[in-house]
Amino acid sequence: MKKTYLALLLFSISISFAQQQDNLTTITAAEMKSASNLMAFVSNPDTQNYDITYHKLEFNVDPAVYLISGKITTTYTALANMNTIVFDLANQLTVSSVVSNSQNLSFLQNGNNELVITLPAIQVIGTSATVKITYSGAPPVNGFRAFTTEVRGTGSNTLYTLSEPFGARDWWPCKQDLNDKVNSIDVYITAPSQYVAVSNGVEPEAPIVNGTSKTTHFHHGYAIPAYLICMAVTNYTIYNQTAGAAPNLYPIINYIYPESFNAGLQTQLAQTPLLLNLFSNLFELYPFHNEKYGHAQFGWGGGMEHTTVSFMVGFDRQLIAHEMAHQWFGDKITCGTWKDIWLNESFATYVASLVYENFDGSAAFVNDKTSMVNFITSGTGGAVFLTDAEATDVNRIFDSRLTYNKGAMVLEMLRFKMGDTAFFQAIKNYLADPSLAYGYAVTTNLKSHLEAVYGSSLTEFFNDWIYNQGYPSYTITAQNWGSGQGRFTINQTQSDASVSYFEMPVPVRIHGSGGQQQDIVLNNTVNGEVIIKPINFPITSVEFDPDKHLISKNNNILLGNEDFDLEKAICLYPNPANDLVHIQLPTTLTLEKVTIYNNLGQVVLENNAVDFSLSSISSGVYEVQLQTSEGVFHKKIIKN
């Protein structure tokens, strides 16, 4: 029965894991497709001379009709002296008027998906103004639709938007880039009264019905980029939940297709408050707790992390977790360039993986990490951070192997290297940084926070694992080395020439003949490094990285049968050496003096420390005399 139960458990874990990988593939494909055909858009230089502080967005829509009309009132501050202001707006939408301070302004739609407004006078740098744009039309339908109407299988009309990264201009006049968040917004959606409307933030008052129409008002009081502003309208069923703990309770509002709403879906949604509480405990209180969290079902594959309301095709726990994690990593703090997209997607992937660790246990977490490592190492190259050229390629930006999986496992390695306490504190500090919170960040911002808590430089780590490519393959020889000691020799090859050596703590698990087990970490910095560790029993076998902390492949561990020899237990490395040398001694020995002789027998260097420099001597072969508590030993060393 035990074997049967174990087999069923492993099968269950395998099925659960396979489902998670399918979800991640779906998420990646959806996020990639949402950006395809739009990447030709480059942040518009014509919109860089002003900063938007407020939008009032008034939309008139009907899910049965592919059309939008609206009034967008924008308050902005001049960043330079201005005589015109430019908004991004699809050519297919027609502006009928622009008003400022009750004065009609002249404007031009120039055919380049721009609305150019002539100001009544030069607006001086640092001053603010407001313009109201009235427009209407059928949003563009070529390629990806940022604005969609469709009829579901039940015959219900449905409308939803998905603007990542540059689709907002297809349905309203905006400024869409990765450097200007709007401080706050009010959204008014007028639609036929039988429908329920959804947008960011909270409803300050009940919807107002006027004949056959209904206007629903949403207010969002946090900074938000244009691509995260959303709208959905259909015959939703509303299902309410609560998250948090007193005094920080906040609502979860789910907008569900009536045909999907059943007991099974409610069971799935029961995970939502648990996930919100988990992420709040790991990082910080949900960033938009003063408003709401929620979901709105829509017809696009995967999900989209619109601030305070994720649009979802379904409600699998891991999909909920990924989109929810974006509320911290992507919505509160948004990547400042596409080269830094991993700050959004790697974090969301890793945080979703932490759900396995915290809800399902270590075996499920290890299983998930194993699959990520296998996928990452299915190719020999590829970096987490993008080049300038790669940042214009949507397939590379949303690369599942690198942006999602490799970046997630790099976070796992940082956690292992730093330790849980330092790692999670650094992430908390990053999220709380007032210069980044509700704004934009780049990779160096995160690195600074990690180093501040860790207390040491992480430049080598970031160069190896973020900016450069590939992964290591290890060969480790383990030997019993005297009473209560093990000797480990580490060698490494790299899959890509961009990294000369991956410096990383290497975890191994030691086993003894009586069922004993001991986990140790080998702090590996150079090839051929010899490390002697105290071991509580004779070694009979060794496992490499059993908990899957590292990205690596084709690793080998050999158990040597060489007898312990005190002479052999003493070694110098690296050898040959360029400068610094370390003397490895058994724990039973104390070093008293080091004397180095040239080939003429002359003393060229004396020292009494296990670490010393060869910088003062020239290249060549030298005799090293080691005086210890157990006698004198002789070694040779080569100075490059």
Side-chain angles (χ1 to χ4, degrees):
M1 289 299 292
K2 288 181 179 179
K3 290 183 178 179
T4 302
Y5 174 78
L6 179 59
L8 289 172
L9 175 63
L10 292 174
F11 178 75
S12 174
I13 291 172
S14 175
I15 292 296
S16 174
F17 164 69
Q19 290 172 342
Q20 191 275 345
Q21 287 302 297
D22 289 342
N23 285 335
L24 186 56
T25 300
T26 300
I27 292 165
T28 306
E31 291 176 340
M32 182 186 300
K33 193 169 183 180
S34 72
S36 63
N37 301 317
L38 297 170
M39 291 306 298
F41 177 89
V42 179
S43 186
N44 190 345
D46 296 334
T47 65
Q48 302 306 300
N49 59 349
Y50 64 95
D51 174 61
I52 295 178
T53 56
Y54 173 73
H55 279 310
K56 180 181 180 182
L57 305 104
E58 301 172 89
F59 299 118
N60 285 274
V61 294
D62 183 342
V65 181
Y66 192 78
L67 189 72
I68 187 169
S69 63
K71 297 178 181 178
I72 309 300
T73 304
T74 301
T75 302
Y76 65 94
T77 301
L79 301 178
N81 292 343
M82 305 169 60
N83 55 20
T84 62
I85 182 170
V86 177
F87 289 90
D88 298 306
L89 183 66
N91 298 329
Q92 291 85 345
L93 300 176
T94 301
V95 175
S96 56
S97 71
V98 178
V99 177
S100 179
N101 293 325
S102 302
Q103 180 180 355
N104 288 315
L105 304 184
S106 60
F107 60 89
L108 170 68
Q109 291 184 257
N110 62 11
N112 294 322
N113 296 305
E114 288 184 341
L115 168 64
V116 183
I117 301 167
T118 301
L119 300 175
I122 292 177
Q123 185 174 340
V124 178
I125 183 173
T127 61
S128 297
T130 298
V131 294
K132 179 189 289 187
I133 303 166
T134 302
Y135 74 104
S136 63
V141 296
N142 55 310
F144 170 76
R145 290 189 180 184
F147 178 95
T148 297
T149 59
E150 61 188 21
V151 180
R152 305 200 307 276
T154 59
S156 301
N157 295 303
T158 308
L159 180 153
Y160 58 83
T161 64
L162 199 169
S163 300
E164 184 187 25
F166 300 126
R169 69 178 181 185
D170 285 358
W171 55 285
W172 61 283
C174 61
K175 175 184 178 181
Q176 50 182 28
D177 55 24
L178 288 180
N179 58 37
D180 188 5
K181 287 190 177 183
V182 186
N183 296 1
S184 64
I185 60 173
D186 283 286
V187 181
Y188 295 82
I189 303 170
T190 300
S193 57
Q194 69 266 34
Y195 296 116
V196 174
V198 183
S199 190
N200 314 90
V202 294
E203 296 183 48
E205 65 269 341
I208 298 173
V209 177
N210 183 9
T212 60
S213 296
K214 180 172 63 177
T215 299
T216 309
H217 172 204
F218 290 88
H219 174 76
H220 181 59
Y222 295 89
I224 184 171
Y227 82 90
L228 290 176
I229 295 173
C230 65
M231 172 173 58
V233 182
T234 192
N235 61 331
Y236 284 122
T237 293
I238 298 177
Y239 178 59
N240 293 307
Q241 298 170 281
T242 302
N248 294 310
L249 292 169
Y250 54 94
I252 304 169
I253 305 176
N254 302 285
Y255 300 86
I256 310 297
Y257 294 158
E259 64 270 22
S260 300
F261 189 69
N262 53 41
L265 183 64
Q266 291 180 54
T267 299
Q268 288 183 304
L269 289 172
Q271 295 292 311
T272 305
L274 303 180
L275 291 167
L276 282 163
N277 292 343
L278 171 64
F279 297 169
S280 294
N281 290 332
L282 288 174
F283 305 112
E284 64 174 15
L285 187 62
Y286 169 59
F288 310 102
H289 62 274
N290 287 328
E291 296 186 353
K292 73 168 188 288
Y293 185 64
H295 303 108
Q297 198 165 3
F298 78 148
W300 194 259
M304 179 61 206
E305 66 274 13
H306 298 126
T307 309
T308 74
V309 56
S310 294
F311 282 18
M312 309 283 285
V313 69
F315 297 93
D316 176 88
R317 185 190 71 179
Q318 294 307 118
L319 179 59
I320 294 174
H322 182 97
E323 303 306 336
M324 181 189 295
H326 273 310
Q327 301 293 318
W328 283 262
F329 305 99
D331 291 7
K332 180 182 181 181
I333 296 183
T334 308
C335 65
T337 76
W338 288 114
K339 295 193 292 185
D340 301 280
I341 183 63
W342 79 285
L343 297 177
N344 290 19
E345 299 303 342
S346 300
F347 267 99
T349 304
Y350 185 61
V351 172
S353 187
L354 296 181
V355 174
Y356 285 109
E357 179 183 27
N358 286 273
F359 285 5
D360 302 336
S362 59
F365 187 41
V366 170
N367 204 16
D368 185 39
K369 291 187 288 182
T370 299
S371 178
M372 286 197 284
V373 169
N374 289 342
F375 184 27
I376 295 161
T377 58
S378 64
T380 58
V384 173
F385 190 81
L386 276 66
T387 65
D388 289 336
E390 288 172 335
T392 64
D393 179 358
V394 66
N395 294 298
R396 176 61 188 87
I397 291 171
F398 295 99
D399 186 293
S400 182
R401 185 174 73 89
L402 301 174
T403 299
Y404 292 73
N405 286 270
K406 186 175 183 181
M409 277 304 300
V410 166
L411 291 170
E412 166 69 8
M413 291 196 297
L414 275 165
R415 176 184 171 187
F416 178 66
K417 181 180 179 71
M418 296 174 62
D420 279 13
T421 300
F423 174 78
F424 284 107
Q425 186 59 57
I427 302 305
K428 291 176 182 178
N429 294 351
Y430 167 74
L431 288 166
D433 185 337
S435 67
L436 305 176
Y438 305 101
Y440 296 96
V442 294
T443 296
T444 51
N445 298 134
L446 174 66
K447 179 174 178 283
S448 295
H449 278 289
L450 292 166
E451 289 178 330
V453 178
Y454 185 49
S456 298
S457 171
L458 290 169
T459 297
E460 175 78 24
F461 181 95
F462 271 68
N463 286 343
D464 289 351
W465 291 107
I466 301 293
Y467 299 118
N468 286 310
Q469 305 181 49
Y471 55 84
S473 295
Y474 291 95
T475 298
I476 300 177
T477 302
Q479 294 173 267
N480 289 298
W481 207 243
S483 177
Q485 292 186 121
R487 182 180 188 265
F488 302 86
T489 304
I490 304 180
N491 288 283
Q492 178 197 115
T493 58
Q494 300 78 39
S495 69
D496 188 273
S498 63
V499 177
S500 59
Y501 201 83
F502 290 95
E503 298 182 19
M504 191 67 195
V506 178
V508 296
R509 179 167 293 162
I510 309 302
H511 296 276
S513 59
Q516 304 98 321
Q517 179 177 300
Q518 183 177 341
D519 288 338
I520 62 173
V521 176
L522 308 173
N523 288 305
N524 176 225
T525 57
V526 295
N527 221 24
E529 187 168 7
V530 176
I531 299 172
I532 295 176
K533 287 281 189 176
I535 304 296
N536 300 327
F537 47 83
I539 303 170
T540 58
S541 65
V542 185
E543 287 181 80
F544 178 87
D545 189 21
D547 293 325
K548 293 297 179 288
H549 295 300
L550 307 183
I551 300 172
S552 62
K553 185 181 183 180
N554 296 329
N555 304 298
N556 292 294
I557 290 193
L558 309 173
L559 186 60
N561 56 10
E562 186 176 356
D563 292 334
F564 174 75
D565 184 323
L566 188 57
E567 173 74 27
K568 293 179 180 178
I570 303 171
C571 63
L572 286 72
Y573 67 87
N575 192 3
N578 294 318
D579 183 7
L580 297 178
V581 176
H582 177 75
I583 303 171
Q584 178 71 65
L585 296 170
T587 55
T588 56
L589 262 64
T590 301
L591 180 67
E592 295 175 350
K593 187 178 181 181
V594 181
T595 306
I596 299 180
Y597 300 88
N598 62 18
N599 57 7
L600 299 177
Q602 299 168 325
V603 175
V604 294
L605 187 64
E606 289 185 320
N607 187 50
N608 60 1
V610 294
D611 295 292
F612 58 93
S613 172
L614 299 180
S615 60
S616 63
I617 62 177
S618 58
S619 300
V621 180
Y622 293 88
E623 181 81 16
V624 182
Q625 178 181 288
L626 303 171
Q627 186 173 328
T628 76
S629 57
E630 298 292 328
V632 176
F633 299 89
H634 295 271
K635 300 287 179 179
K636 289 190 181 296
I637 193 165
I638 300 172
K639 166 68 185 298
N640 287 329

